[in-house]
Amino acid sequence: MNNIKNTTTLGIAGSTSLDGLGLALMETDGVDIYRQGSAFVVPYDDDLLEQIRSVLGKRADWPEHTAAIRRAEVAFTEFAAAAVKDFIDDEGVVPEVLGFAGHTICHRPTERYTHQIGDGNQLAKLTGIKTVSRFRNADILAGGQGAPFAPVYYEALTAKRRRPLAVIDIGGTSEVVWFGSSGEMKAFVSGPGNALINDWVMKHGGMHIDYNGKLAITGQVDEKILATLMHHKYIALNPPKACDRTVFAEKAEHLEGLTLENGAATATAFVAESVAYSMALYLPEPPDEAIVCGGGAKNPTLMRFLRQRLPNMKVITSTEAGWLPEAVDAQEAAFWAVRRLHYLPLSFPATTGVAEPVIGGEIFQP
C-alpha cells in the first residue's frame, strides 16, 4: 500500500507460558512485513515471576486485588523499559513505535472483561518512545472475545504459502488460525497450552518447563484421564471463543496421583488432543499444512503427539517454515502497533465474533 508509511516497530509481550518477556523488531506498514529484525526472550527474574504468578486469574476491578495487581504492573513495566533500553543499545536501532501487549492475567470474555498488566503510558515516558498498548479492550467493549488477534499478523506472514493453511500458536493456551483456499479466515483459542504442562512440572518437579519434552517422552499417557480431560466444557464450545490459562487449571487435579513423567505425558497429550479435535470439528476445510509456533514448537514430544493426531496434513515448526522462532507474541504486538497507527482493524467477525472489524489499541506519547 503505497500511501501507508513503512515503520520500524518493536513489539514487547509477556509470554503466557511465563517463559519471559519477548522483544521483536520489525519493519512493516501494518499490511505487509518488509523485514523481521532481531527477536528474543528475556527471562523474568524470580521476584517478578512470583509477582506475576500471584495475580494470575485475578480481576483488577475487585478492590482486594487492585493494589497487588498494580504493584505487579509497575514492576513488569519497569522490567520492560529496561529490556527495551538494552535492546536499543545492543541493536543500535531506535524504533519509531513500541507495541506493548503486556501480560494477560485475566481474560474472561463471557464477563466482558480482560486485563493485561503493562502500563503503556509509563513505558512511553520511561523509554521516550511512542507506545501503543491496550489492544484488546475495544474488541471486548464491542462484544468480541478479545482474542485471538494473531490472524492479521499470520495472514501477512503466510501470504505466499499455499492455502488452506493453519497456524497453531501454542503458548499458555493454544490458538488455531485458519486460512481457507478462497481467502477466508477463522481463529479461536482451542484449549490448553504450555501452561498446563508447566504448572504440573513446577508443582511436582520444581522445574519451570518440561525441557525438550524429556519428561513426557519417558512417561506413559493415561488414556482414561486423557478422556476425562477432553470432557472440559470449554472444548465443546463453538467458536468464536477465547479464554486465559486459568480456565484449564481446575482440570489439573485429574493428574494427581500420576508420576511426574506420566503426568507430563498426559498433560502434553491433552494439549495435542484438544488442538486436533478442535481442528477436525471447527474448521470449514482441512488444511494441507499446519505451522506450529510459540513455545510449543520447541517441545519435540508435543510436536510428535500433534503429528500422530494430524496424520493427513504436513505439520512443521515455525523454524522449519523459515520464521524466527523466538518471541512470536512480541512480533504480533509490533505488527499490531503499526496497524493502530494507520487505523487498520485487528479483529473481525470470524476471529473474535465482533459484528464488524474493530481497530484496537491506545496510543501514548512520551
Side-chain angles (χ1 to χ4, degrees), residues 10 12 21 23 40 42 45 74-90 98 122-123 126-127:
L10 178 66
I12 309 114
L21 185 75
L23 296 100
F40 53 83
V42 182
D45 59 58
V74 169
F76 178 80
T77 306
E78 290 175 348
F79 184 86
V84 168
K85 291 175 182 177
D86 288 344
F87 188 99
I88 291 171
D89 289 343
D90 292 343
L98 304 178
Q122 183 187 17
L123 186 66
L126 290 173
T127 61

Side-chain angles (χ1 to χ4, degrees), residues 85 94-96 98 122-131 365-366:
K85 291 175 182 177
V94 179
E96 298 168 71
L98 304 178
Q122 183 187 17
L123 186 66
K125 291 178 179 178
L126 290 173
T127 61
I129 301 171
K130 182 191 302 181
T131 299
Q365 300 291 344

